[in-house]
Amino acid sequence: MKSMTHFETPPILITGMSGGGLSSAAKVFEDKGYYVAHNIPPRAIVDLLKLCNQEETPVGKVAAVTDVRSRMFPGSLLEIMDELTELNMKPTVLFLDARDDVLIRRFDSVRRTHPLQEGDTLKVGIQRERQAVAEVRSHADIIIDTTNLSIHDLRRAIEAAFGEMQNAKQHVTVESFGFKNGSPRDADLVVDVRFLPNPYWVPELRGYRGTDEPVAHYVLSQPAAQEFVDNFLQMFSTMLDGYRHEGKNFITLGVGCTGGHHRSVAVAEAIAARLRDNDTLDVSTLHRDIARG
């Protein structure tokens, strides 16, 4: 029998690779009024949420951080997720990841050893953790690749991904980026708009960005741009029901150009504007590389 939920928003489960930004993500949720429990064992997550879900609870929004050290305690994280679903307390799972070389650099910069390193190299410890968390990653609602993100970028990515946390809606983040900085590994679908004329080569437009009217007009006034946006939205609309059927309520669309300043930004904004006409969607934009050189 399912229990009544008293949470304002679904509980958040923050997990992922060590060095992936779990502590930084937890701080974002704390700043947004969440009660955040750090590094608690999977079994204790159930007890925590039951306690916070009592009728006279002082906690309306709760998040729990669990990393590979927490999972050394008894209890499978996947089993806990299933149990919480049965109790009508299904958590939204946020998984933070990054490339191995970036994780190695982050550990080296703070002179820490990896929790699974034991007597081996840091790289071996990271590989062990990847194997340990692979199944949890495959069940995550939201995956954020922090490889190219600063702390401020991560905050914006979390805010964009979670939107207003409206239960009945699918959350779509339209993320612009530059291919020269690498495509976002957390995107569910990536499109390339480098086929459009580049405003960078127009001297009077070079200093603007795709959110500025002169660049947006230049990009979107191209016949190929409007045709692309129309065709893409037609295709994407056929995918939404399938995503919903598969329980995927958080979708990230990547729109890429060369530097992530002009074409991808303008097209991402155009796609997001059209998607907002669909009242079953909660749509946000994220411009990953707009401020990069």
Side-chain angles (χ1 to χ4, degrees):
M1 180 178 178
K2 292 187 175 183
S3 62
M4 179 183 297
T5 179
H6 299 283
F7 295 118
E8 296 175 19
T9 65
I12 309 296
L13 179 58
I14 305 169
T15 189
M17 293 293 293
S18 301
L22 276 67
S23 296
S24 297
K27 184 67 169 65
V28 174
F29 286 102
E30 286 176 342
D31 290 346
K32 289 189 168 297
Y34 279 76
Y35 174 81
V36 180
H38 293 262
N39 297 332
I40 62 175
R43 184 71 255 166
I45 295 174
V46 178
D47 297 333
L48 169 69
L49 295 189
K50 284 181 177 179
L51 179 64
C52 294
N53 194 37
Q54 294 178 3
E55 188 171 355
E56 300 300 324
T57 179
V59 176
K61 300 187 292 185
V62 61
V65 181
T66 181
D67 63 14
V68 71
R69 294 167 297 174
S70 305
R71 294 185 208 122
M72 288 187 281
F73 289 88
S76 160
L77 189 57
L78 290 175
E79 291 174 355
I80 296 305
M81 289 158 55
D82 289 340
E83 182 175 344
L84 290 172
T85 300
E86 286 298 314
L87 292 171
N88 200 28
M89 295 189 293
K90 182 181 185 299
T92 299
V93 181
L94 169 62
F95 190 99
L96 300 172
D97 203 349
R99 287 200 320 260
D100 286 4
D101 62 302
V102 173
L103 294 176
I104 290 172
R105 187 166 66 246
R106 290 173 182 172
F107 272 98
D108 284 343
S109 69
V110 294
R111 293 180 171 83
R112 287 174 51 204
T113 58
H114 190 279
L116 297 186
Q117 186 172 342
E118 299 174 357
D120 296 307
T121 65
L122 179 55
K123 184 175 182 179
V124 169
I126 291 172
Q127 291 172 342
R128 285 177 180 145
E129 184 176 20
R130 284 215 181 277
Q131 294 175 353
V133 302
E135 194 170 4
V136 172
R137 188 184 193 280
S138 70
H139 285 78
D141 297 293
I142 303 171
I143 299 173
I144 295 180
D145 181 0
T146 67
T147 296
N148 295 307
L149 302 184
S150 68
I151 292 176
H152 302 296
D153 292 333
L154 176 58
R155 173 179 291 273
R156 286 189 286 268
I158 291 173
E159 290 173 345
F162 281 82
E164 296 300 320
M165 297 300 295
Q166 300 171 51
N167 293 335
K169 294 192 175 186
Q170 286 179 293
H171 305 269
V172 180
T173 301
V174 187
E175 178 180 1
S176 70
F177 68 93
F179 279 102
K180 74 174 187 179
N181 297 312
S183 58
R185 296 191 303 163
D186 48 2
D188 299 291
L189 187 63
V190 171
V191 294
D192 183 350
V193 296
R194 287 177 292 185
F195 66 91
L196 295 172
N198 192 349
Y200 180 85
W201 301 113
V202 180
E204 59 268 29
L205 296 179
R206 183 173 299 178
Y208 290 101
R209 293 294 184 259
T211 50
D212 298 318
E213 196 280 332
V215 170
H217 176 75
Y218 177 87
V219 172
L220 299 173
S221 65
Q222 307 292 331
Q226 290 302 323
E227 183 179 1
F228 169 79
V229 171
D230 290 342
N231 290 338
F232 173 78
L233 289 169
Q234 183 177 5
M235 178 192 73
F236 186 62
S237 66
T238 67
M239 302 170 66
L240 285 171
D241 285 343
Y243 278 136
R244 186 178 288 109
H245 181 266
E246 294 300 317
K248 186 169 184 59
N249 292 319
F250 296 85
I251 305 159
T252 300
L253 306 178
V255 182
C257 64
T258 303
H261 299 156
H262 301 107
R263 293 168 289 180
S264 62
V265 174
V267 173
E269 287 288 343
I271 288 173
R274 294 272 295 275
L275 288 175
R276 290 189 181 103
D277 292 336
N278 185 337
D279 59 10
T280 70
L281 301 178
D282 175 32
V283 182
S284 59
T285 56
L286 173 67
H287 302 304
R288 191 191 73 182
D289 297 331
I290 194 170
R292 294 179 188 268

